[in-house]
Amino acid sequence: MGRRKRSQSEIKAGTAKKRKQEDALLEQGGFGSAGSDISNDDDMYEDAVSKPSDDDDSWDNLEQDYEKRSRNLKHQEDNMVEGLPIKINGKIERKMIRQQPKKNESKDTSDQSEQDEDASERESESKGEKEEEDEEDDENEQVPDTEEKIVQLKEEIADLVEKILEEPEENVPALSRLCRMVKSKNPNTCKFSMLALVPVFKSIIPGYRIRPLTELEKRERVSKEVGRLRHFEQSLVGIYKNYVDILKELSKVPNNDDPLKVQIGALATQAANELISNASHFNFRTEMFTLIIRRICKPNLRADSMSERSIKTLESLLNDDEDGIISLEIVRILCKTAKTRKYNVEESVINILLSLDVLSDYDPNTREENEQEKIRMKKKDRVHLSKKQRKSRKEMKQIEEEMRKAEQSVTVEERERNQAEILKQVFSLYLNILKVQNPKLVGAVLEGLVKFGSMANFELLGDFLEVMKELIKDADLNNISSSEVRKVLLCIVSSFSIVSNHSQMKFNVDLSSFVDALYALLPSISLDANIELSHKSMRLADPLGSEIFKPSVNVSTKAELLLKALDYIFFRSKSGTKQRAAAFTKRIYMSMDHTPEKTSIALLKFLDKLMNKYPEIGGLYSTEDRIGNGNFIMEADTPALCNPESATLWENSLLVNHYCPTVVKGIRFLGTRSKESQ
């Protein structure tokens, strides 16, 4: 009994000593983390062997404690432990990793495969941390790059890119390391890795937007393939966000800064343009749009080498957008940025809005009628469904809504809401620019009003008309330049375009000031050498100019704008009268002595149409018949003061000898027809 009691006491003492050793090892961060621990274990083992016991349990415990000790390898550093074996290219390799302090993270798992997978993920994370530390050490070394180092850097980046493109899900650490290299202080490392990531992201980014996992989805058990895909998607979103943040930081460089920083900022903008052109559906596109728009919203775009590329990128996105989601984001950011810069931006930036293809088929009146029809829908017209059918229908709607969001499809109602919001933002920007009266942007705003003015609502009508009247008053119509001629024509056309949209409403708007302005502008238009030319016309290129700094984006020439204005006055509004028709007929004949043949032919067709509506103007073709008394006042710039009923179209005798046979034929046709109308 005594011997049995002594053996039990020895067992208790050995167990207590073993627990102390294990607690000490845990506090140090792991088993066998230092050589002193191993020597202490050896002493403990020798003491235990020197005092053998008859109890088998004591020997088993000592043997298990011996098995827990890690092997002591040669050239082993402190805090280094052996990692799990990894099979690379058919060979099994064992690598030493730095021991990190751990908390109680061990959890029971159902099968051994999940444990191995978690272990490999932890190993890859520790490996990535080690690589990051090594990279930071390399960055601190301010050593100039040689040709050999540049070649090695390119080979290293090429190897990383090849691994990522072969198996993206298995090489997330390589993608993360390549993204960290963009933060390098070495300019070559930063530039090469930044540009290398562009084709990588373009290849591995999926065709859908990745959303964050919910708490329920994180807790649920899924298959191994689904878990691997989720891990890759979440890792990709995090790495892509870091890359976008780096591009935003690098692109914020003034044009007069260090040339090296300016070059890196231009490369960051180039990378953003290439990415957003192919990944506009992916996450963080708002940040990318903000990066590009802030880059082009500068007073002097000529100093930025990437301004033209950025403008073309935004215009292509607006042209290709059919649902209005991307267009709405771009317009919101552009309006906000322009307001922050106090509208001190270039004309080409505002002309980007003319590429809004989503507004080409928008009709605000049709939208209001559809809404009224929905409100008037009666309850008796609905189909009766049972409770079970309603529940099933509700579930199907939820499934369809989730599928629609996954496919990023937009319903007709959502598209109309996007169109209405885009139009609201655009008109608000136009009105603010006109109130500020920035001379560089007035032309671009008027171009937009000509294109979108028919969609304006009644609330903005008065504000736009007042601003455009002030613009015409400020222009000297007697001594006006070619650009001012186009600006006044745009004011006239846009004002009639806005009013014509509300022709069904019972209100009267006095547009006589715009009619008088067009009458006074006719001689200047006829003497303009570029009356039939636009920015897309074939002409010699300016070697000192740039493609983005074009006078206007609207392809309408001044001759086309003139015909639009005449059509609005006499055929699409109530501004036309017999007196005005006679005055404009006389002045148009005076202008045709100087206009080119195409413009003259178009004006003759307009006069033919005008004679159908006002046959009284046929009396102007004859010297025998007089419509009114007195003399025609040629110098008067208003139709009401020039006494047009006393005029005679003596220009016929000159135009009959015109060099163009078509013009001569039209002149003779109108002269013959005027005799029939008398």
Side-chain angles (χ1 to χ4, degrees), residues 251-392:
S251 63
K252 295 179 181 179
V253 181
N255 295 329
N256 56 355
D257 206 339
D258 184 23
L260 183 60
K261 293 183 179 179
V262 173
Q263 182 184 8
I264 294 177
L267 291 177
T269 309
Q270 177 183 351
N273 285 323
E274 293 185 10
L275 270 182
I276 201 61
S277 299
N278 295 272
S280 58
H281 63 280
F282 197 59
N283 303 52
F284 310 111
R285 64 184 176 196
T286 304
E287 288 78 1
M288 299 288 277
F289 291 150
T290 305
L291 185 156
I292 298 174
I293 292 175
R294 285 182 177 177
R295 183 85 181 185
I296 62 176
C297 286
K298 294 181 179 180
N300 186 15
L301 282 183
R302 298 181 186 272
D304 189 359
S305 59
M306 293 305 301
S307 57
E308 183 176 347
R309 175 68 180 276
S310 301
I311 289 175
K312 287 184 177 180
T313 300
L314 294 176
E315 287 179 348
S316 63
L317 288 172
L318 293 178
N319 279 322
D320 299 336
D321 185 28
E322 298 179 356
D323 301 328
I325 299 177
I326 295 177
S327 300
L328 181 58
E329 289 190 16
I330 294 176
V331 170
R332 280 177 175 172
I333 298 172
L334 180 59
C335 295
K336 184 178 179 181
T337 308
K339 184 179 180 181
T340 305
R341 301 289 173 88
K342 297 181 180 180
Y343 306 102
N344 188 17
V345 296
E346 291 289 346
E347 180 184 2
S348 55
V349 178
I350 306 301
N351 285 336
I352 294 175
L353 299 175
L354 296 178
S355 301
L356 284 167
D357 187 68
V358 71
L359 295 178
S360 59
D361 59 345
Y362 179 62
D363 188 0
N365 298 325
T366 305
R367 180 173 175 266
E368 293 176 359
E369 292 176 0
N370 293 337
E371 290 179 353
Q372 292 177 359
E373 290 178 0
K374 291 180 180 179
I375 296 173
R376 293 175 183 175
M377 186 176 180
K378 297 181 180 180
K379 188 175 181 180
K380 64 179 182 179
D381 297 333
R382 300 176 184 175
V383 180
H384 177 71
L385 299 175
S386 62
K387 186 176 181 180
K388 186 176 181 180
Q389 289 175 337
R390 288 197 300 269
K391 184 178 179 181
S392 177

Side-chain angles (χ1 to χ4, degrees), residues 141-298:
E141 298 179 1
Q142 301 294 335
V143 180
D145 288 342
T146 61
E147 185 176 356
E148 183 179 358
K149 288 185 177 180
I150 292 176
V151 172
Q152 292 178 355
L153 175 63
K154 291 181 179 179
E155 291 178 353
E156 181 183 1
I157 293 176
D159 292 338
L160 292 173
V161 171
E162 185 178 1
K163 289 181 181 179
I164 298 169
L165 294 179
E166 286 180 355
E167 295 182 355
E169 296 182 2
E170 301 296 334
N171 294 285
V172 175
L175 181 62
S176 178
R177 180 165 184 250
L178 193 60
C179 184
R180 289 196 303 271
M181 291 173 67
V182 185
K183 299 180 181 179
S184 175
K185 297 179 182 178
N186 190 331
N188 290 326
T189 305
C190 177
K191 291 189 290 186
F192 295 157
S193 56
M194 181 199 307
L195 296 179
L197 277 170
V198 174
V200 170
F201 281 123
K202 288 167 65 175
S203 300
I204 66 176
I205 283 178
Y208 52 88
R209 190 183 184 93
I210 299 176
R211 61 174 179 82
L213 297 176
T214 61
E215 294 296 332
L216 180 61
E217 291 175 340
K218 292 179 181 179
R219 292 194 300 266
E220 67 180 359
R221 295 180 60 85
V222 295
S223 62
K224 190 174 182 180
E225 290 76 11
V226 174
R228 185 185 295 109
L229 180 60
R230 285 184 175 180
H231 173 70
F232 170 71
E233 289 181 346
Q234 300 303 317
S235 302
L236 176 62
V237 170
I239 296 172
Y240 185 74
K241 183 180 184 303
N242 294 334
Y243 182 67
V244 172
D245 293 340
I246 295 171
L247 293 182
K248 288 178 63 177
E249 189 66 26
L250 294 177
S251 63
K252 295 179 181 179
V253 181
N255 295 329
N256 56 355
D257 206 339
D258 184 23
L260 183 60
K261 293 183 179 179
V262 173
Q263 182 184 8
I264 294 177
L267 291 177
T269 309
Q270 177 183 351
N273 285 323
E274 293 185 10
L275 270 182
I276 201 61
S277 299
N278 295 272
S280 58
H281 63 280
F282 197 59
N283 303 52
F284 310 111
R285 64 184 176 196
T286 304
E287 288 78 1
M288 299 288 277
F289 291 150
T290 305
L291 185 156
I292 298 174
I293 292 175
R294 285 182 177 177
R295 183 85 181 185
I296 62 176
C297 286
K298 294 181 179 180

Side-chain angles (χ1 to χ4, degrees), residues 436-452:
V436 174
Q437 292 188 356
N438 189 338
K440 296 189 300 183
L441 304 181
V442 171
V445 171
L446 294 175
E447 294 280 358
L449 288 177
V450 170
K451 185 172 183 178
F452 308 120

